[in-house]
């Protein structure tokens, strides 16, 4: 098995879904194309013909997110026609699965270099659009009806863990906004953003260079005034959950040998990954068993992880993970740049955003050897990837 390395990752700024969002009227596949082109521009030593495959994820695979988007995006981006491509769907973990699937091919020897990423234009394709859940799910009690609504699954998680109060989730959400604002001020987000030109009715052309969803001045008082749309007197609000967003991501992966041959940078090494299933009606707990499984595979303990990038689909989901592993709500290892509550969560694209942020934190903190990207996944799953920091003095040595 060959070592797999994360060479580079980029993303578009994330926008708010809907007719007022920065990507209203724009195609999803064009967002992917811009990300792929930026990867090639940033890595000029990579001949385009050396790319062995392109894996792009989308949750709603229809319209401008359909037609085997990995292949169509590769062609639209100007890659040689000899470069194949395919589409992936694992809901929120689409881009994460695009990475792990192609990484497996690299480790096995089928690939040397790949592009993996994801896109979700939730303005063009609202969550669940065109879906037709089989009535047996409910009629035969295969899943609780709440499993088909992500907000309801978050309320169920609150029920399971009553110590995670609305006040605690709101406090977590405020910190996410503050951390993202701090990361922007420090220039830690901008290097991996692909500027995207867009045209809006009545305002002409604009160049989008920053994320649209953040609300850096958010306070506890602001969040306390929000309604709970999924349950009367509930705890999940628009303030302590990720929004509905548009955006795309793309990452360049390679074998360690190919990276050295082509003069490509090594920003992380993949150590282990795992996916696990849980009860669909509490899908937010999915990162817990996925992380336990990945740690076993890697021969590591939770205390060996020096940085965590946890997708903030809902604050309660992150907090349930932290409680399980005995990690404090304000632990500085967790989501240093803020998370999806602030920056947005365009479903299938988010996995690579987590990786981009972890790779940049590795560069800033060579004392950290291992980091983790993890997320919950709709219909009751979780996914976790463990990475090693190439700047650490013991990089590549045995974990013991």
């Amino acid at each position: 098995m060959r070592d797999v390395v994360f060479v580079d990752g980029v993303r578009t700024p994330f926008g708010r879904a809907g007719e007022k969002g920065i990507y209203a009227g724009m195609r999803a596949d064009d967002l992917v194309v811009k990300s792929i082109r930026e990867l090639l521009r940033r890595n000029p030593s990579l001949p385009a013909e050396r790319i062995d495959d392109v894996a792009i994820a989308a949750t709603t695979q229809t319209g401008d997110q359909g037609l085997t988007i990995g292949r169509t995006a590769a062609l639209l981006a100007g890659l040689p026609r000899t470069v194949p491509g395919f589409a992936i769907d694992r809901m929120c973990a689409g881009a994460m699965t695009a990475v792990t699937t192609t990484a497996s091919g690299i480790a096995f020897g089928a690939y040397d270099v790949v592009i993996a990423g994801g896109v979700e234009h939730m303005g063009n394709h609202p969550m669940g659009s065109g879906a037709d859940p089989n009535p047996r799910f409910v009629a035969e009690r295969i899943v609780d009806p709440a499993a088909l609504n992500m907000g309801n699954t978050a309320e169920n998680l609150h029920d399971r863990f009553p110590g995670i109060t609305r006040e605690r989730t709101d406090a977590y959400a405020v910190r996410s906004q503050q951390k993202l604002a701090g990361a922007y001020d420090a220039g830690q987000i901008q290097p991996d953003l692909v500027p995207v030109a867009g045209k809006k009715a009545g305002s002409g052309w604009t160049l989008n260079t920053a994320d649209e969803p953040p609300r850096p001045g958010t306070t506890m008082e602001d969040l306390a005034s929000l309604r709970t749309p999924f349950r009367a007197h509930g705890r999940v609000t628009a303030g302590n959950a990720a929004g509905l967003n548009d955006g795309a991501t793309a990452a360049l992966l390679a074998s360690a040998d190919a990276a050295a041959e082509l003069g490509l940078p090594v920003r992380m090494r993949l150590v282990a990954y795992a996916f696990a299933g849980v009860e669909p009606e509490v899908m937010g707990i999915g990162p817990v068993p996925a992380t336990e499984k990945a740690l076993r595979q890697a021969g590591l303990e939770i205390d060996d992880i020096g940085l965590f990038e946890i997708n903030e689909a809902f604050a309660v989901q992150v907090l349930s993970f932290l409680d399980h592993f005995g990690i404090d709500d304000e632990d500085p290892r967790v989501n240093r740049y803020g998370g999806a509550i602030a920056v947005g969560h365009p479903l299938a694209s988010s996995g690579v955003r987590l990786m981009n942020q972890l790779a940049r934190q590795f560069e800033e903190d060579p004392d950290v050897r291992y980091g983790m990207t993890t997320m919950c996944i709709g219909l009751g799953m979780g996914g976790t990837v463990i990475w090693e920091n190439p700047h650490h003095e013991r990089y590549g040595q045995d974990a013991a």
Side-chain angles (χ1 to χ4, degrees):
M1 302 292 284
R2 303 189 300 172
D3 279 347
V4 181
V5 297
F6 183 95
V7 171
D8 200 3
V10 299
R11 67 177 178 88
T12 68
F14 288 170
R16 294 176 185 160
E19 61 183 15
K20 295 182 179 180
I22 57 176
Y23 299 132
M26 192 168 185
R27 292 180 61 94
D29 48 13
D30 285 337
L31 296 178
V32 179
V33 168
K34 293 180 184 298
S35 300
I36 293 174
R37 286 178 172 169
E38 178 65 9
L39 276 181
L40 296 176
R41 188 196 68 79
R42 286 167 49 135
N43 296 276
S45 68
L46 173 64
E49 62 270 16
R50 288 295 302 272
I51 297 169
D52 292 307
D53 216 338
V54 177
I56 300 298
T59 301
T60 305
Q61 296 194 8
T62 187
D64 55 333
Q65 291 181 179
L67 200 61
T68 313
I69 192 168
R71 173 61 171 169
T72 56
L75 292 171
L76 291 165
L79 296 182
R81 296 191 177 190
T82 53
V83 178
F86 63 104
I88 278 182
D89 175 19
R90 202 197 294 261
M91 300 190 79
C92 303
M96 176 180 281
T97 305
V99 167
T100 57
T101 298
T102 53
S104 298
I106 293 171
F108 183 73
Y111 304 139
D112 285 330
V113 182
V114 298
I115 290 175
V119 64
E120 210 73 49
H121 197 306
M122 300 178 75
N124 292 352
H125 308 283
M127 188 183 301
S129 175
D132 181 19
N134 194 303
R136 290 181 51 231
F137 278 132
V138 175
E140 299 179 18
R141 299 184 179 180
I142 295 172
V143 300
D144 187 293
L148 303 179
N149 181 293
M150 298 302 101
N152 288 340
T153 69
E155 289 285 9
N156 288 345
L157 204 57
H158 271 289
D159 293 341
R160 181 169 292 194
F161 301 106
I164 303 178
T165 62
R166 175 172 173 177
E167 290 72 22
R168 188 177 164 196
T169 57
D170 284 352
Y172 180 89
V174 168
R175 288 193 298 274
S176 182
Q177 296 281 358
Q178 292 171 342
K179 287 191 286 188
L180 178 66
Y184 258 104
D185 289 345
Q188 294 161 317
I189 301 295
Q190 297 91 326
D192 297 325
L193 296 183
V194 182
V196 178
K199 188 175 184 180
K200 298 184 67 173
S203 58
W205 287 93
T206 59
L207 186 64
N208 303 303
T209 60
D211 296 301
E212 185 179 24
R215 295 183 173 88
T218 299
T219 66
M220 288 289 287
E221 291 72 23
D222 294 332
L223 298 188
S225 67
L226 298 178
R227 67 188 185 91
T228 57
F230 305 108
R231 184 186 296 180
H233 308 293
R235 291 140 296 190
V236 178
T237 71
N240 58 36
L244 305 178
N245 306 108
D246 307 330
T249 60
L252 194 61
L253 306 171
S255 70
D257 290 343
E261 173 199 346
L262 296 168
L264 298 172
V266 173
R267 300 182 66 194
M268 303 191 290
R269 181 180 74 88
L270 196 153
V271 177
Y273 72 85
F275 294 91
V278 296
E279 303 99 310
E281 62 269 23
V282 285
M283 65 94 189
I285 202 65
V288 169
T291 295
E292 292 174 333
K293 188 175 179 181
L295 289 170
R296 286 195 301 271
Q297 291 176 353
L300 298 173
E301 302 291 337
I302 196 69
D303 291 340
D304 293 317
I305 306 302
L307 288 167
F308 294 86
E309 277 295 319
I310 308 171
N311 191 47
E312 297 171 356
F314 302 94
V316 64
Q317 166 251 316
V318 180
L319 294 171
S320 64
F321 178 94
L322 299 182
D323 284 357
H324 179 86
F325 289 107
I327 300 171
D328 187 79
D329 290 8
E330 299 186 46
D331 192 305
R333 297 175 296 168
V334 177
N335 290 9
R336 286 186 177 179
Y337 296 173
I341 289 173
V343 77
H345 175 31
L347 298 184
S349 68
S350 288
V352 167
R353 177 190 66 81
L354 301 175
M355 296 169 194
N356 289 346
Q357 295 191 180
L358 180 62
R360 197 152 294 283
Q361 291 165 43
F362 274 167
E363 294 169 358
E364 297 170 352
D365 198 344
D367 291 334
V368 172
R369 184 173 183 185
Y370 296 109
M372 173 185 294
T373 55
T374 187
M375 61 199 315
C376 61
I377 310 167
L379 293 182
M381 296 178 283
T384 296
V385 189
I386 298 174
W387 303 89
E388 185 180 17
N389 186 353
H391 308 287
H392 191 274
E393 62 182 3
R394 295 195 61 211
Y395 174 70
Q397 301 177 27
D398 290 339

